[in-house]
Amino acid sequence: NLLAVLEYAIEFLRVEHLIVCGHYGCGGIQRAAGEDRSALVDHWLQPVVMLYRQHRAVFDAIADPARRLDRLCELNVELQVRRVAAIPTVEQAWDRGQKLRLHGWIYGMHDGLLRDLGPTVASRAERDALPPIDERVRMPAEPCTGVRRHAIEAFAALDPAQSRW
């Protein structure tokens, strides 16, 4: 049971980082964006199905079907981070001051890169300050790979006055 595993990791192992990781091209998300609702897995997918249905016009406005599915995969990770952040075990850990951070990542099977969807959530206050998922649907996403983050940090450290460019 997933909740028992999370509870053990948080309560006994005192993990400091929980990663919710999805992947592009997810068959479950493809199913959620479809019409068939005949399998037990559909119960698990219901929150993302409802998100898709509520914002169908926004998704339909994404011309590229692959990009449309990718965006739904990204939003599903964000949705799941919020769900994990609402688990009583996670809230109790934060209440007692335990260092615990939740991360939302997505894996690109096409290029082998992990992308950070941000933000990292480390408290109830941070979780509660997140924009509602319905707003996130309308916000453009730009997942950040570790390579890109490293490059941004490296260039930010440069002194523009010393640059030869």
Side-chain angles (χ1 to χ4, degrees):
N1 175 319
L2 176 62
L3 294 177
V5 170
L6 286 174
E7 182 177 49
Y8 182 80
I10 293 166
E11 297 288 331
F12 298 101
L13 299 178
R14 301 287 182 173
V15 298
E16 294 184 7
H17 300 273
L18 290 177
I19 298 166
V20 175
C21 188
H23 62 89
Y24 291 121
C26 178
I29 300 304
Q30 289 175 348
R31 185 174 179 86
E35 299 300 323
D36 186 12
R37 300 285 174 264
S38 61
L40 183 58
V41 71
D42 295 315
H43 176 73
W44 183 256
L45 294 172
Q46 192 60 24
V48 74
V49 168
M50 295 307 298
L51 184 71
Y52 178 73
R53 286 182 181 171
Q54 289 169 348
H55 300 285
R56 183 84 186 248
V58 174
F59 292 109
D60 286 349
I62 301 171
D64 178 11
R67 181 63 200 125
R68 184 181 315 134
L69 183 63
D70 286 351
R71 183 67 182 128
L72 191 55
C73 289
E74 293 164 357
L75 287 165
N76 182 56
V77 170
E78 290 190 40
L79 184 62
Q80 299 311 319
V81 167
R82 293 159 197 263
R83 292 179 77 189
V84 171
I87 294 172
T89 304
V90 171
E91 291 181 328
Q92 292 163 5
W94 286 334
D95 289 347
R96 68 175 169 266
Q98 184 174 335
K99 186 177 177 183
L100 178 62
R101 290 183 169 79
L102 306 181
H103 307 271
W105 293 356
I106 193 156
Y107 176 70
M109 293 189 300
H110 61 284
D111 60 11
L113 297 177
L114 279 172
R115 291 163 174 82
D116 186 348
L117 295 171
T120 297
V121 181
S123 69
R124 281 187 194 232
E126 288 179 8
R127 177 201 63 200
D128 295 346
L130 292 173
I133 195 72
D134 291 324
E135 284 182 26
R136 290 290 299 132
V137 170
R138 291 176 183 80
M139 297 171 137
E142 192 172 345
C144 188
T145 65
V147 171
R148 182 171 181 210
R149 185 178 15 255
H150 179 73
I152 290 168
E153 290 169 2
F155 282 102
L158 293 177
D159 180 1
Q162 301 295 322
S163 175
R164 294 184 206 178
W165 299 315

